[in-house]
Amino acid sequence: MLFRSSLVDEDEVRRLANINLKESLNSHIAVVGHANSNKEYLAQVLARLALPSQGRVEIGGRDLATLPESVTGRRIAYVGTNTVLHSASVRDNLLYGLKHRPVKPATYSEADAVVRARELSAAVRTGNIGHDYRADWVDPTAAGAEDEAALFTRMVSVLEAVDLAVDVYQLGLRSTIDPTARPDIANNVLQARVALRDRLSDEAYAGLVEPFDRETYNSNASVAENLMFGNPVGNGFDVERLAENSYVLQVLRDADLYDELLEMGRKVADTMTEIFADLPPGHEFFEQYSFISSDDLPAYQAVVTRADRDIEALSEEDKTMLLSLPFKLIPAQHRLGLADDEAFQTRLLKAREKFAAGLPTELKGAVEFFDAEKYNSAASLQDNILFGKIVFGQAQAAQEIGALITKTLDELGLRGGVLLAGLDFEVGIGGSRLPPVQRQKLAIARALLKRPDLLVLNDATAEMDAQNQQRVLSNVLAAREDCGVVWVLSNASLAEAFDQVIVMSESRAVEKGPPGDLKKEGTAFQDLMETQMA
C-alpha cells in the first residue's frame, strides 16, 4: 500500500500535506493526533471518499483513483463516526455489503411474472439496469460461508466480535414473530415455556411470576389485559381507545361494571392531578404511572372539577376521558387501592367470559387470547415464554427472571432462534430505534462480515466508553489477523495494540513506526499520550 498524496478541500484548505507512506496491506495501522491534526482525512482518502489533490494512493500496484467503485466498494470497507444505517432490519443492514448482484432469481406467480416482464422492458427502454430487486442478492460466499446456515454462524461471530450479540438477543426477546412464517421459533418458544414453568416451581423463584389463568384475576396485569385475557391485534381493541369501543362498553354494562369503572376513573384522575399538579413536564412520575400526560393534565383537572359536582351530568366526552384511565390500572404496581377489591375482580372475570363469548364476527380476529398450549403472535418472545406477569414489588425480580429465561434457552440450545428474531428487528429511519453505540457496532460488524482487503475505521468507536472501545478494538484486530486495518483513534493509548503508528500533526505525518519504538521520551507519540492522559 503506497500513499503519496496531498489533499486540499473545496474551500482551498489544506487537509493533508505531502503524506508519504508505504505499508504492507496486511498491517494493522493506528493513526493518532490532536483534534486539529486532520488525521480523519487520511482515512477518507484511503477509503476513496476523497480523491487526493496531488499524488496518488496505490493498493496492489493499482491507483485507487482509476479503479471502478464496484471494485473499491468490495475490496475496501469504511466505518466513520457518523454511522449510516438503512431503514430496514438488523439483518438487512448487516448483509448489505454482500449484495453485489442477484444470485438467485425471485419466484413469481403467472400474473406477477407478467408485471415483472413489463418492469424489465421499461428498464431496458430507459437505459436502466434490469436487475430484479425482489431477487436474492446476498452472496454468502463473499462472507466466507457456503450456505445460509454457515452465513448465520458468520453473522453471529461478527456480532460477538463487536460486542453486539447480547443486544441483538435482547431485541429478539422483545420482538414478535409470525408463527406461520417461523414455526421453528414458535415451537422453540413453547418448549422454553414448559421448561420455565417447571423451573418457576422451585422455591428459589416462588412468587416472582404470576402466571396467566383463565379463571383467575392477574393483579400484575392491567384491567384491560384482565378483561380481554389476551393481546389486541390491530386497532380493534386499542387500549388507548377501549373507552370508545361500543362492544367493550356493552360488556361493561352487562356485567354492571360501567358505573364502577367510571367512578374508579374519577378517583384515578383526582389522585393523578393532585400528584402531578406541581411537577414539571417530563418528570419520571408521568412515565411511571402513564395514566395522564403532562399535556393532558389541564383537561383532566377540569373534568375532575365537573365530576366532583355531578358525575352523572358529565358529557359523553368527559365520561370517555375518565373511563379510559382504569383500563391502564395495574393494582400490584400502582397501589392506589383500586381494582384490587375481590368483589370487583369477580365481576370483571364474569365480564371476561362475556367479552370472549359474545365477540362479533368482525372483531374475532382483533384479539389473540392467552392459551397455555399456543404461541401468541401478538406478544413478544419473552412474554410468550413467560406466559404471565413478573410480580411487582419483588426485588430484582425482572433481572432474576431474565437470567432464568436466558439459562433455560441456553440449556435447550434455543438461543439461536431468539437471535434470528433479533436480526429481524427494524432499526428505523437512519437506525433511529437503536442507540448510537449499537449503530456504531452494527456498522463495524457489517464491515467485518464482507471481509474487505482493507478495513478503514475513522474514529468508529467514538460513542463507546473506554472499556467497550478496548474490547471491540481487540476483537476486531483478532478477527482481522493478517488482513489490513487502518484505524484513526482519538485515544492514542489504544495504538499500542497495532503493528504501526502514524502520528499526525498540522496535516502532516510527523512520526511513523512500531508503538514500542515511538513510546519514548520526547517523541510526538509519547507527548500525545501524556497530554490525553492528563
Side-chain angles (χ1 to χ4, degrees):
M1 182 171 64
L2 183 66
F3 194 111
R4 290 175 178 166
S5 306
S6 296
L7 175 66
V8 177
D9 66 16
E10 61 272 15
D11 296 322
E12 300 300 320
V13 177
R14 183 170 294 277
R15 299 301 184 181
L16 297 176
N18 302 319
I19 305 294
N20 193 340
L21 304 168
K22 186 176 182 180
E23 297 291 342
S24 169
L25 186 56
N26 61 0
S27 295
H28 293 174
I29 303 167
V31 182
V32 298
H34 291 293
N36 61 353
S37 66
N38 285 336
K39 59 184 183 292
E40 65 274 15
Y41 290 96
L42 180 63
Q44 292 178 19
V45 171
L46 267 178
R48 204 188 171 203
L49 296 178
L51 295 176
S53 308
Q54 295 177 340
R56 57 197 281 147
V57 177
E58 293 182 5
I59 295 181
R62 300 290 300 274
D63 185 349
L64 281 188
T66 66
L67 292 174
E69 290 184 358
S70 59
V71 173
T72 57
R74 292 190 189 201
R75 310 299 288 272
I76 301 173
Y78 173 87
V79 185
T81 306
N82 298 319
T83 301
V84 178
L85 297 180
H86 303 286
S87 181
S89 67
V90 171
R91 180 197 308 277
D92 289 335
N93 276 282
L94 198 55
L95 297 177
Y96 187 76
L98 309 182
K99 297 180 178 182
H100 305 303
R101 65 170 68 90
V103 296
K104 188 188 300 181
T107 302
Y108 290 103
S109 65
E110 187 173 339
D112 288 340
V114 173
V115 175
R116 170 59 192 153
R118 284 200 215 102
E119 290 177 348
L120 179 57
S121 176
V124 172
R125 287 198 312 272
T126 54
N128 292 308
I129 61 172
H131 292 326
D132 185 358
Y133 65 89
R134 302 180 191 86
D136 185 358
W137 286 63
V138 177
D139 180 9
T141 61
E146 299 176 356
D147 52 29
E148 289 294 323
L151 180 59
F152 174 69
T153 301
R154 281 280 297 133
M155 292 164 69
V156 173
S157 71
V158 297
L159 290 174
E160 289 174 341
V162 300
D163 208 20
L164 192 59
V166 172
D167 295 319
V168 174
Y169 166 79
Q170 292 296 336
L171 291 175
L173 283 178
R174 302 203 308 265
S175 298
T176 60
I177 62 160
D178 179 357
T180 59
R182 297 307 307 257
D184 53 334
I185 296 179
N187 290 332
N188 288 347
V189 165
L190 292 178
Q191 186 180 349
R193 179 188 293 177
V194 174
L196 183 68
R197 188 164 54 206
D198 292 341
R199 286 182 179 276
L200 290 174
S201 62
D202 190 305
E203 287 186 8
Y205 302 106
L208 294 183
V209 174
E210 184 176 6
F212 291 130
D213 183 340
R214 184 170 291 279
E215 308 302 322
T216 305
Y217 190 96
N218 192 310
S219 296
N220 290 278
S222 68
V223 170
E225 288 172 307
N226 273 287
L227 174 64
M228 291 186 286
F229 196 67
N231 291 317
V233 178
N235 297 321
F237 290 110
D238 181 2
V239 175
E240 296 295 332
R241 305 192 67 177
L242 277 185
E244 304 171 32
N245 188 295
S246 58
Y247 176 67
V248 171
L249 295 178
Q250 186 59 53
V251 168
L252 296 179
R253 289 190 173 97
D254 291 345
D256 294 326
L257 281 172
Y258 180 88
D259 291 336
E260 187 169 357
L261 282 173
L262 185 63
E263 175 59 21
M264 194 179 294
R266 185 193 68 79
K267 291 179 179 178
V268 171
D270 190 33
T271 301
M272 293 299 103
T273 53
E274 183 178 349
I275 291 175
F276 296 163
D278 299 320
L279 296 181
H283 192 280
E284 61 183 22
F285 278 7
F286 285 104
E287 182 177 352
Q288 180 179 345
Y289 287 97
S290 67
F291 290 111
I292 301 172
S293 69
S294 57
D295 292 338
D296 293 335
L297 191 61
Y300 273 99
Q301 288 172 324
V303 172
V304 168
T305 299
R306 291 192 289 271
D308 288 343
R309 288 198 297 264
D310 186 355
I311 194 169
E312 295 298 327
L314 291 177
S315 66
E316 288 303 313
E317 183 180 355
D318 284 351
K319 289 181 179 179
T320 297
M321 287 179 64
L322 293 181
L323 200 60
S324 67
L325 300 179
F327 285 118
K328 305 172 187 177
L329 186 65
I330 302 173
Q333 177 187 4
H334 298 127
R335 301 186 181 279
L336 297 177
L338 303 170
D340 48 8
D341 176 75
E342 185 175 346
F344 167 79
Q345 294 181 0
T346 299
R347 286 195 295 278
L348 195 125
L349 290 176
K350 290 181 179 179
R352 175 189 293 178
E353 294 178 11
K354 294 177 181 290
F355 176 86
L359 266 179
T361 303
E362 66 274 14
L363 290 175
K364 285 191 182 294
V367 60
E368 186 160 2
F369 296 109
F370 298 134
D371 186 330
E373 307 303 321
K374 293 182 179 179
Y375 183 91
N376 191 309
S377 62
S380 69
L381 297 190
Q382 178 164 297
D383 286 346
N384 265 287
I385 295 170
L386 197 59
F387 196 71
K389 290 290 184 179
I390 296 175
V391 173
F392 289 99
Q394 293 279 358
Q396 304 299 313
Q399 291 85 341
E400 287 189 48
I401 293 301
L404 190 60
I405 289 175
T406 297
K407 183 178 180 180
T408 301
L409 289 168
D410 285 344
E411 289 182 356
L412 294 173
L414 302 180
R415 179 185 281 258
V418 178
L419 279 169
L420 282 170
L423 288 171
D424 289 333
F425 180 83
E426 295 291 325
V427 304
I429 298 173
S432 58
R433 296 184 66 196
L434 298 179
V437 169
Q438 290 183 2
R439 293 201 292 269
Q440 284 194 326
K441 289 180 177 181
L442 182 53
I444 298 172
R446 176 173 61 193
L448 284 176
L449 188 64
K450 68 184 276 189
R451 301 190 308 162
D453 295 328
L454 177 63
L455 174 60
V456 181
L457 299 115
N458 197 350
D459 207 7
T461 57
E463 295 288 347
M464 304 178 199
D465 59 39
Q467 193 173 33
N468 218 335
Q469 281 189 35
Q470 182 65 69
R471 187 163 53 247
V472 170
L473 184 144
S474 298
N475 290 345
V476 169
L477 293 183
R480 294 285 297 173
E481 186 178 9
D482 297 325
C483 297
V485 176
V486 175
W487 202 321
V488 175
L489 299 168
S490 291
N491 184 353
S493 65
L494 295 174
E496 295 186 67
F498 290 76
D499 302 325
Q500 296 286 323
V501 178
I502 298 170
V503 183
M504 296 287 295
S505 178
E506 297 180 351
S507 305
R508 300 178 183 275
V510 295
E511 282 181 354
K512 183 181 80 69
D517 293 350
L518 296 184
K519 197 177 178 183
K520 298 175 182 177
E521 191 69 31
T523 63
F525 180 56
Q526 182 65 24
D527 291 344
L528 179 63
M529 291 182 63
E530 290 176 356
T531 300
Q532 291 182 344
M533 292 174 63

